[in-house]
């Protein structure tokens, strides 16, 4: 029986590197071939990266699903909830939910409905990729010199959150904004540092400490069973 081909649309270069270096070898064990790609933000110019408006995202994804209409093809996303454009479906209902986990599920459900293809598996990261790094901040510390004091301050700042996915999405309080506030060098080093740090933390820890990410990963591991 054929392997599953998983087309994974990611938001930026950090997620792309994480998909290639961490998710791809892991999912190979489950006979899932990951084909990561950054979001196409301008078809005419061929530019990729960032979170485009929903119309552009839907058109790009529909083209992709049409190009591979085979039953063994699957399609998923790794897009940040933080700064997700307001034209994405489901916001009205999601805003009624008090818990971030419930809000993101509402948005993912609406996204799946709009795409209208059972092969599509939406995933929005609570609240952005950098949340994964808060599972073990020493991996950032080990990759950026003289960052011990900044990391200690950061740990103290987020100590009240139950899990990294609870760190909120404010303009100054989102995971990446907190990192950059305490460690400005991270902004220029995020691609070089962020993905390797997440890889070093390891999928078992990421799965345990970030349950929404963990549910998505488990679903990807079981894709072969859906053929």
């Amino acid at each position: 029986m054929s392997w599953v081909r998983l087309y994974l649309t990611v938001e930026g270069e950090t997620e792309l590197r994480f998909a290639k270096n961490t998710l791809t070898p892991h999912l190979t064990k489950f006979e899932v071939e990951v084909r990561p790609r950054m979001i196409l933000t301008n078809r005419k110019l061929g530019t990729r990266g960032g979170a485009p408006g929903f119309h552009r995202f839907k058109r790009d994804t529909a083209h992709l699903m049409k190009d591979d209409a085979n039953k063994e093809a699957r399609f998923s996303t790794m897009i940040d909830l933080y700064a997700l454009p307001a034209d994405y479906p489901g916001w009205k209902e999601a805003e009624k939910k008090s818990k971030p986990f419930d809000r993101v599920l509402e948005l993912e459900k609406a996204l799946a409905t709009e795409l209208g293809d059972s092969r599509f598996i939406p995933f929005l990261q609570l609240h952005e990729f950098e949340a994964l790094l808060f599972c073990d901040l020493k991996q950032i510390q080990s990759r950026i010199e003289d960052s011990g004091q900044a990391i200690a301050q950061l740990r103290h700042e987020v100590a009240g959150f139950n899990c990294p996915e609870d760190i909120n999405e404010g303009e100054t309080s989102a995971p990446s904004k907190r990192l950059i506030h305490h460690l400005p060098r991270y902004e220029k080093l995020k691609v070089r540092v962020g993905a390797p740090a997440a890889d070093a933390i390891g999928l078992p820890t990421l799965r345990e400490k970030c349950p929404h990410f963990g549910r998505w990963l488990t679903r990807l591991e079981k894709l072969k069973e859906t053929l």
Side-chain angles (χ1 to χ4, degrees):
M1 186 178 291
S2 301
W3 280 36
V4 173
R5 287 189 303 281
L6 174 63
Y7 295 90
L8 179 58
T9 301
V10 304
E11 186 165 326
E13 292 183 12
T14 305
E15 292 90 343
L16 185 66
R17 186 172 295 191
F18 177 73
K20 289 180 176 179
N21 296 344
T22 305
L23 293 178
T24 295
H26 175 73
L27 290 173
T28 294
K29 304 171 189 175
F30 300 89
E31 297 186 29
V32 176
E33 177 195 350
V34 182
R35 298 186 178 185
R37 60 195 289 275
M38 280 199 290
I39 289 175
L40 183 65
T41 51
N42 189 314
R43 180 170 291 274
K44 185 177 292 186
L45 297 177
T47 55
R48 295 182 180 272
F54 176 68
H55 177 71
R56 184 171 291 165
F57 167 80
K58 182 178 181 180
R59 183 175 57 190
D60 178 49
T61 306
H63 275 295
L64 185 63
M65 293 191 293
K66 184 178 180 180
D67 287 343
D68 192 343
N70 297 288
K71 66 177 184 179
E72 64 270 18
R74 295 293 184 273
F75 307 85
S76 193
T77 57
M78 194 174 190
I79 301 173
D80 294 343
L81 176 60
Y82 172 67
L84 186 73
D87 66 338
Y88 274 66
W91 271 116
K92 186 175 181 181
E93 290 301 315
E95 288 174 345
K96 298 176 183 178
K97 311 291 184 181
S98 59
K99 296 180 180 179
F101 181 77
D102 293 332
R103 288 200 296 273
V104 81
L105 289 182
E106 189 68 41
L107 288 165
E108 289 174 348
K109 182 175 72 172
L111 197 55
T113 298
E114 285 289 331
L115 267 295
D117 191 316
S118 62
R119 300 175 302 155
F120 178 69
I121 304 154
F123 173 66
L124 300 174
Q125 176 68 51
L126 274 169
H127 285 91
E128 55 180 341
F129 176 83
E130 276 75 14
L132 301 177
L133 306 182
F134 282 77
C135 292
D136 186 358
L137 286 168
K138 73 173 182 287
Q139 295 299 340
I140 293 291
Q141 183 178 339
S142 68
R143 287 166 171 78
I144 300 180
E145 292 183 0
D146 302 320
S147 60
Q149 183 176 353
I151 294 298
Q153 293 170 343
L154 190 55
R155 283 198 185 98
H156 177 75
E157 184 177 288
V158 301
F161 290 98
N162 291 325
C163 77
E165 289 179 328
D166 287 337
I167 299 173
N168 57 29
E169 71 269 39
E171 291 185 7
T172 60
S173 56
S176 66
K177 302 302 182 184
R178 292 176 188 266
L179 266 168
I180 292 167
H181 173 72
H182 290 284
L183 201 57
R185 284 173 290 168
Y186 177 77
E187 188 165 18
K188 291 185 178 181
L189 296 172
K190 63 183 299 183
V191 176
R192 195 190 326 164
V193 167
D199 183 64
I201 292 169
L203 288 174
T205 298
L206 298 178
R207 187 201 302 267
E208 176 187 355
K209 294 190 175 183
C210 294
H212 183 58
F213 172 84
R215 284 180 54 171
W216 175 63
L217 180 61
T218 297
R219 190 172 178 185
L220 299 185
E221 292 169 345
K222 295 180 178 181
L223 286 179
K224 185 66 183 293
E225 300 172 15
T226 67
L227 294 182

